[in-house]
Amino acid sequence: QAQLVESGGGLVQPGGSLRLACAASGFTLDNYAIGWFRQTPGKEREGRSCASSSSGGRTYYAGSVKGRFTISRDNAKNTVYLQMNRLKPEDTAVYYCAAKSGSPWFPPMYSNDYSYWGQGTQVTVSS
């Protein structure tokens, strides 16, 4: 019954903003670590890389997005968000929300750490 559903992706010009949402059902999100991963078109062999993750109020950001992206949670809505500002063409990717039970000290940053995954949402940054 556990499920994650992403939304909010789309086409945006460089310098623009998008807010992705990940709605959880079947479990309480605040008892889980959450990660936002992305997979770049044409680089599927490299797998999914972690853009940001959150665990127990602590956050991690990849160097390429630090200062531009913000991860947050709305416990009342059982939803996690990824606010993406000053988007760049290299941010173009399919973005996935992932969840891991528990709240480890360091927010997990590897895809193998996570048990539940959403279906992904496409983000395209282009002029």
Side-chain angles (χ1 to χ4, degrees), residues 17-62:
S17 298
L18 285 174
R19 189 180 74 161
L20 306 183
C22 176
S25 61
F27 64 97
T28 301
L29 195 58
D30 61 3
N31 294 325
Y32 284 71
I34 291 292
W36 282 100
F37 288 77
R38 59 187 186 176
Q39 183 167 296
T40 302
K43 296 184 178 180
E44 290 80 5
R45 298 183 68 178
E46 284 78 3
R48 302 172 183 180
S49 63
C50 184
S52 181
S53 59
S54 174
S55 178
R58 296 168 293 277
T59 58
Y60 160 83
Y61 296 95

Side-chain angles (χ1 to χ4, degrees), residues 58-124:
R58 296 168 293 277
T59 58
Y60 160 83
Y61 296 95
S64 57
V65 309
K66 193 173 185 178
R68 299 188 298 118
F69 290 12
T70 303
I71 190 170
S72 63
R73 303 189 189 206
D74 186 334
N75 290 331
K77 296 181 178 180
N78 206 28
T79 299
V80 65
Y81 301 93
L82 184 67
Q83 178 67 47
M84 306 184 295
N85 298 325
R86 290 173 283 143
L87 284 161
K88 304 175 180 179
E90 50 263 45
D91 294 319
T92 296
V94 177
Y95 284 72
Y96 298 87
C97 179
K100 167 188 170 63
S101 63
S103 301
W105 169 254
F106 194 88
M109 65 179 76
Y110 301 108
S111 60
N112 288 344
D113 292 330
Y114 292 86
S115 301
Y116 301 102
W117 291 84
Q119 83 287 354
T121 185
Q122 176 70 48
V123 172
T124 302

